Amino acid sequence: MKVGTDGVLLGAWAKGGTRILDIGCGTGLISLMMAQRFPEADVVAIDIEPMACRQAVQNVGNSIYRGRVEVINMSISEYYGMMPCGIFDSIVCNPPFFNNSLKSPDVRKSIAKHADSMPFDQLLDAVSHLIADEGQFSVVIPVSESERFDNEAIFHGFFKQRELFVKTTENKSPKRILIEYVKHPPVHFFSSTECICSNNGRSEWYDSLTKEFYIK
């Protein structure tokens, strides 16, 4: 699995804590970014796909964060059934989101991309069980899926605290949205729109957000 912009955005934008869970970690990109941004954090990276987990273990093992990132090959439903309530103060997820579309013949890619491998209701069931009372749950999803996801989040008792619409260029509509959910009505709600690219390459906003992660 290649490094994708969605994962980079989420890893650079999401709030952290001392106990962080990355659901559907893939090769460990977001987990490692969160470990880099939050030096006091312990990170649990979980994924159902064995090959992705093997790559995540290798990537974590080759990093300076190997003592703080634990990779677990398990479905999120299995995992939360084993764990006590409220143990993570930050949960991040770049979930699979293609619905009713043609699947790839590559099983690993289908698991990574299609929502039937981690339906939104099952994901939010797990998050509502595992997140601390004052914790934050952050996701990146297509704008086209945001209403469906938001309705499911509301059903599970979550409130939006922040949202960020992301455009690739100024003249295009936003294709992705980053959302931060909390368990109580927020005092303030923040919504903004930003652009990844400018005429000179990466935009000033994107460069500022991700400058700690790109090699110049």
Side-chain angles (χ1 to χ4, degrees):
M1 302 298 295
K2 296 179 181 179
V3 172
T5 303
D6 288 2
V8 173
L9 285 167
L10 184 61
W13 181 83
K15 291 178 184 174
T18 57
R19 289 274 296 169
I20 299 172
L21 173 64
D22 178 11
I23 300 175
C25 67
T27 57
L29 168 70
I30 298 171
S31 299
L32 289 167
M33 291 178 72
M34 297 298 281
Q36 178 176 327
R37 290 177 58 212
F38 303 100
E40 302 303 316
D42 290 316
V43 182
V44 174
I46 186 167
D47 202 293
I48 195 173
E49 211 289 301
M51 182 64 75
C53 284
R54 284 196 288 272
Q55 291 182 7
V57 168
Q58 182 178 10
N59 289 336
V60 170
N62 288 333
S63 77
I64 62 173
Y65 310 111
R66 54 187 172 271
R68 296 196 290 115
V69 180
E70 177 187 10
V71 179
I72 299 175
N73 181 200
M74 187 181 294
S75 75
I76 188 58
S77 296
E78 290 178 287
Y79 181 74
Y80 97 81
M82 299 164 46
M83 305 303 292
C85 293
I87 59 173
F88 293 101
D89 45 21
S90 174
I91 299 179
V92 293
C93 183
N94 177 11
F97 49 72
F98 291 135
N99 291 283
N100 303 316
S101 57
L102 185 65
K103 291 181 171 61
S104 167
D106 187 319
V107 174
R108 288 171 295 161
K109 289 184 178 180
S110 281
I111 289 173
K113 293 182 177 180
H114 286 270
D116 53 4
S117 66
M118 186 165 52
F120 290 163
D121 60 339
Q122 291 184 20
L123 169 61
L124 286 155
D125 276 344
V127 173
S128 63
H129 175 85
L130 292 167
I131 198 163
D133 191 57
E134 299 298 328
Q136 298 92 30
F137 169 48
S138 303
V139 293
V140 54
I141 54 177
V143 170
S144 60
E145 294 290 332
S146 61
E147 182 176 0
R148 189 172 71 88
F149 192 92
D150 198 46
N151 287 337
E152 196 67 51
I154 291 168
F155 177 78
H156 283 82
F158 287 101
F159 300 85
K160 278 196 291 189
Q161 181 163 265
R162 290 193 297 158
E163 65 181 11
L164 172 63
F165 292 90
V166 181
K167 301 189 291 185
T168 52
T169 60
E170 282 292 349
N171 62 344
K172 291 186 178 181
S173 299
K175 296 297 184 184
R176 292 289 185 271
I177 182 172
L178 293 100
I179 310 175
E180 178 185 278
Y181 291 99
V182 292
K183 297 182 76 173
H184 304 286
V187 176
H188 301 289
F189 170 67
F190 301 93
S191 180
S192 59
T193 302
E194 298 288 355
C195 185
I196 292 175
C197 298
S198 68
N199 293 333
N200 300 318
R202 293 200 295 260
S203 69
E204 183 178 343
W205 166 80
Y206 187 74
D207 192 51
S208 175
L209 180 71
T210 61
K211 63 185 177 182
E212 299 299 324
F213 306 105
Y214 283 106
I215 298 173
K216 300 291 185 181

